[in-house]
Amino acid sequence: MTGLINFFTRSRCSLLGGIMAGVLLPVLAISILLDMQGVVQNPYFGFLIYLVMGPLFVLSLLLVIGGALFCGKKEDIGRLTVEYIKEELARPGHFTRIRKLIFITALLTFLTLVIVGVVTYTGFHYTESVGFCAQFCHRVMEPEYVTYKNSAHSQVPCVKCHIGAGSEWFTKAKFSGARQLFAVLLDSYERPIATPIDALRPERATCEGCHRPEVFHGDKLYVKDTFQEDEQNTHLQTVLVMRIGSGGYSGRQAQGIHWHVSEDHRVTYLASRDRNYIARVTLEGPEGRKTVYRRQGETQEPVEQKERLMDCMDCHNRPTHVFLDAGPALDAKLVTGAIPPEIPYIKRQALAAITREYPSQETATRGIAQELMDWYRQNYPDLVSGREELLKEAVLGAQQAYLENVFPEMNISWRTYQSFTCHQAEGSGCYRCHNDSLRSEDGRAISQDCNVCHVILLENGPARDIREILQNAAGAARGNNNE
Ligand code: HEC
Ligand code: HEC
Ligand code: HEC
Ligand code: HEC
Ligand code: HEC
């Protein structure tokens, strides 16, 4: 025992390492145990264990061993050289001493390896977790985390899309991740984060781990609910059959919306940095047939030098971070009853309240409640005194619509981030390419025929039972055929 203590205390290095290790070991062991049991849920806890205490512990062990082997007292230098071992082996009485030394060194090396292994493995997993990605850099990632939690992908870990398989994206992601950590520490990150994001950009293969457009087929019925800004908050519906189509598979032809991602042809384009302005589209068909659609007249915005091959993100840029516009955000609350639609003028008043500018989410929460309660107190005092519960529910719904989509701290307002799977404004979404300004040599434009992408069964009609809507549509179609 005294031998062991001597071994460690021969240099100041090892002594320091020994003290550090002695303090850290129990704390670390208990922390890891608590973490594995899921007792402590705070994301900073993981950071502390795996990225601070873990590496420190490893360092302390290295100090102990390094100190003992290399910074010992003069006479101990060269303890493990071959000559020394030969000499020691040659002296019969000392054989046990060298064995002890080798044994201690082996044991310490083994222990270090195990601990280094566990710490890096768990540390690595920690940096891959949703907790690390989203909650550690809370303010920066909050908008993405909140929208993600409300989306269809809320159970898909961030890294599945942002890193995916393959070492190339892995290294790109870790490097840019490290840069981002510094940006957060130095408070130098951009607000809002500019898109498209390059190093962490999800690629086609990551989506295709779960979705395979070549086997999609057929059409899909979309029902969109909207509420008007009148006293009754009139409920309207738009019903579309979206031509989801397919990328073509085992002899089946690529068709419909997912025709773009078929293996049989390539759609490439030249665009501005944010990809909202497209200057040239090239379609390469089978047998090298090539059609180039060029923007007529002068190009109005600077475009990137590199052609981009169209992939999922050119339409699905918001598959999970879905930021709604104010109207649709309220419609979503009204259709589920989170905001009771029987309150007169609630759509109009809530829209006015949530589209004001607020410096923070806290002031918005208070401001929205104040504005709505004041207005109803003035204009519908009976409602406030008789059915205050209903109004409180509406206030909560309006606040949620705001909190889920607007993040003043990151300069994210209504419509800061927009989806490409739409054509809300001229030249937006699909209409970035499907427009009249891009023309081929022989003067053709990319189709804007409404029926190429969807069949509209009802546009802003009164909300009814879906069977009635379908029967009416079928009747109208039969009428057209008979003409
Ligand atoms: C279903 C796939 C998917 C998942 C899961 C996902 N993201 Fe994203 N994320 C995307 C796509 C696609 C973009 C847009 C890329 C672009 O425009 O270049 C994006 C963009 C971002 C951006 C840039 C800002 C923005 O809103 O465009 C951040 C930050 C981000 N994601 C963080 C996260 C975090 C944190 C998580 C986990 C909580 C996460 N992502 C989960 C697909 C995903
Ligand atoms: C780990 C598996 C996984 C990955 C990776 C993934 N998704 Fe999904 N995706 C899902 C699941 C699960 C759903 C939900 C299906 C449902 O609710 O019916 C979904 C739903 C969708 C939907 C329908 C959305 C909606 O609101 O109904 C779209 C579009 C979509 N994903 C696109 C993408 C794109 C684009 C990517 C690549 C950036 C991607 N997904 C990556 C699993 C995944
Ligand atoms: C040309 C634009 C475009 C491209 C490229 C595209 N999609 Fe889509 N996709 C759409 C539209 C539009 C819809 C239907 C409307 C919606 O979901 O918003 C859709 C629907 C989907 C759905 C939901 C299908 C369902 O039955 O609910 C999934 C999943 C999906 N796409 C995955 C992908 C994947 C994966 C890729 C890349 C390999 C891809 N898409 C490429 C435009 C596109
Ligand atoms: C980067 C440019 C680009 C964007 C963005 C784009 N498209 Fe296209 N799309 C094309 C080109 C090019 C064609 C082929 C035109 C031709 O046949 O000459 C096409 C053809 C189509 C077709 C017909 C496919 C077939 O069966 O022949 C559909 C449907 C379609 N697009 C839907 C969409 C939808 C929906 C969106 C938006 C979500 C969209 N496109 C966005 C370039 C684009
Ligand atoms: C290039 C494909 C394409 C063409 C051409 C096109 N649309 Fe659309 N349209 C879409 C997509 C994609 C959506 C969004 C579906 C979604 O929200 O998921 C949409 C949505 C709509 C909606 C529902 C609006 C809403 O609230 O989301 C209406 C109405 C509509 N389109 C009308 C038209 C009309 C009218 C035309 C012809 C002048 C037309 N579209 C041409 C792709 C197209």
Side-chain angles (χ1 to χ4, degrees):
M1 196 60 204
T2 44
L4 199 65
I5 291 170
N6 279 342
F7 181 73
F8 282 137
T9 50
R10 269 177 314 142
S11 90
R12 283 199 205 118
C13 254
S14 332
L15 195 62
L16 179 72
I19 295 171
M20 263 168 72
V23 174
L24 279 171
L25 184 68
V27 181
L28 198 60
I30 293 170
S31 306
I32 292 181
L33 216 72
L34 287 179
D35 188 53
M36 289 201 302
Q37 300 289 320
V39 180
V40 183
Q41 292 288 347
N42 190 329
Y44 294 92
F45 189 56
F47 179 80
L48 200 67
I49 301 178
Y50 301 117
L51 298 182
V52 178
M53 287 204 293
L56 269 183
F57 184 64
V58 172
L59 182 75
S60 66
L61 289 186
L62 291 177
L63 276 180
V64 171
I65 297 173
L69 295 185
F70 304 110
C71 333
K73 287 183 195 132
K74 279 242 161 60
E75 73 242 38
D76 292 318
I77 288 181
R79 218 158 225 278
L80 280 188
T81 58
V82 179
E83 289 73 29
Y84 174 77
I85 293 173
K86 270 198 195 136
E87 188 195 321
E88 287 289 308
L89 283 179
R91 291 161 57 186
H94 283 81
F95 188 54
T96 45
R97 194 167 160 221
I98 180 90
R99 264 214 329 225
K100 211 153 67 187
L101 200 64
I102 290 175
F103 175 73
I104 291 172
T105 317
L107 186 75
L108 282 178
T109 313
F110 176 74
L111 272 181
T112 315
L113 283 181
V114 168
I115 292 171
V116 169
V118 169
V119 168
T120 43
Y121 179 80
T122 39
F124 166 77
H125 271 266
Y126 173 64
T127 63
E128 299 269 287
S129 70
V130 173
F132 177 74
C133 298
Q135 285 155 300
F136 183 66
C137 308
H138 188 74
R139 195 156 56 120
V140 192
M141 290 294 151
E142 199 199 357
E144 277 68 35
Y145 183 61
V146 170
T147 47
Y148 156 89
K149 274 289 166 211
N150 292 326
S151 84
H153 290 106
S154 58
Q155 300 293 319
V156 177
C158 315
V159 293
K160 278 260 176 177
C161 287
H162 284 283
I163 299 180
S167 58
E168 188 206 348
W169 280 89
F170 174 78
T171 31
K172 263 193 205 170
K174 292 280 154 170
F175 274 117
S176 91
R179 210 181 54 230
Q180 286 158 17
L181 266 185
F182 278 111
V184 172
L185 292 177
L186 300 173
D187 203 29
S188 68
Y189 52 89
E190 44 189 0
R191 308 175 177 81
I193 298 169
T195 53
I197 42 173
D198 291 322
L200 278 169
R201 184 162 210 277
E203 58 165 2
R204 184 172 165 173
T206 61
C207 311
E208 285 178 307
C210 295
H211 304 289
R212 297 183 57 206
E214 71 269 29
V215 291
F216 288 177
H217 54 83
D219 302 336
K220 195 174 168 193
L221 195 67
Y222 274 62
V223 180
K224 310 216 147 219
D225 298 274
T226 49
F227 291 80
Q228 287 194 301
E229 294 175 41
D230 55 5
E231 186 170 6
Q232 292 80 37
N233 313 300
T234 306
H235 183 183
L236 298 179
Q237 281 180 329
T238 296
V239 180
L240 306 157
V241 179
M242 290 303 296
R243 304 211 133 146
I244 302 287
S246 109
Y249 184 59
S250 13
R252 225 186 281 140
Q253 278 260 302
Q255 39 88 20
I257 296 170
H258 290 93
W259 163 93
H260 302 79
V261 288
S262 161
E263 302 264 280
D264 301 337
H265 48 250
R266 289 160 52 90
V267 180
T268 50
Y269 68 89
L270 272 186
S272 58
R273 162 86 179 101
D274 64 6
R275 304 198 180 123
N276 273 314
Y277 177 83
I278 292 182
R280 191 175 80 202
V281 179
T282 309
L283 166 63
E284 280 173 73
E287 296 125 34
R289 263 185 289 118
K290 204 163 166 180
T291 315
V292 184
Y293 299 88
R294 286 197 169 79
R295 200 163 266 272
Q296 305 299 295
E298 293 280 298
T299 43
Q300 288 139 14
E301 282 187 42
V303 290
E304 300 268 281
Q305 292 303 307
K306 215 166 145 248
E307 291 257 3
R308 193 180 138 71
L309 176 65
M310 208 170 166
D311 70 16
C312 319
M313 263 62 66
D314 289 300
C315 299
H316 297 287
N317 62 331
R318 305 265 129 222
T320 191
H321 313 296
V322 190
F323 295 85
L324 297 175
D325 197 0
L330 287 175
D331 292 336
K333 299 291 173 201
L334 281 154
V335 77
T336 53
I339 297 178
E342 58 266 40
I343 301 177
Y345 286 119
I346 187 64
K347 169 80 185 271
R348 191 185 73 185
Q349 293 315 122
L351 194 62
I354 65 172
T355 47
R356 276 185 220 300
E357 273 203 30
Y358 300 99
S360 70
Q361 289 205 331
E362 288 73 45
T363 45
T365 311
R366 269 181 275 123
I368 291 166
Q370 179 103 39
E371 178 169 342
L372 285 176
M373 291 312 275
D374 284 354
W375 193 84
Y376 281 97
R377 230 174 259 130
Q378 223 159 53
N379 297 284
Y380 290 88
D382 293 350
L383 187 78
V384 180
S385 56
R387 306 185 67 188
E388 204 184 349
E389 293 313 304
L390 212 58
L391 208 55
K392 288 235 168 87
E393 232 177 277
V395 167
L396 204 66
Q399 287 167 335
Q400 274 167 357
Y402 182 93
L403 298 178
E404 285 165 8
N405 297 289
V406 181
F407 302 85
E409 287 88 346
M410 284 297 291
N411 288 337
I412 296 175
S413 183
W414 301 106
R415 292 155 61 84
T416 298
Y417 289 121
Q418 291 187 41
S419 167
F420 288 150
T421 54
C422 71
H423 48 75
Q424 241 89 42
E426 198 184 327
S428 72
C430 312
Y431 284 8
R432 290 173 302 149
C433 290
H434 291 255
N435 62 41
D436 280 332
S437 316
L438 290 163
R439 295 277 181 174
S440 65
E441 298 274 285
D442 53 358
R444 279 185 305 114
I446 302 171
S447 175
Q448 290 169 76
D449 177 358
C450 316
N451 291 329
V452 170
C453 302
H454 46 56
V455 180
I456 303 176
L457 299 183
L458 181 70
E459 189 170 352
N460 287 326
R464 270 178 296 182
D465 187 77
I466 188 71
R467 277 169 301 184
E468 211 181 309
I469 293 170
L470 293 177
Q471 271 158 12
N472 281 350
R478 235 176 282 125
N480 281 345
N481 285 346
N482 292 344
E483 270 167 21

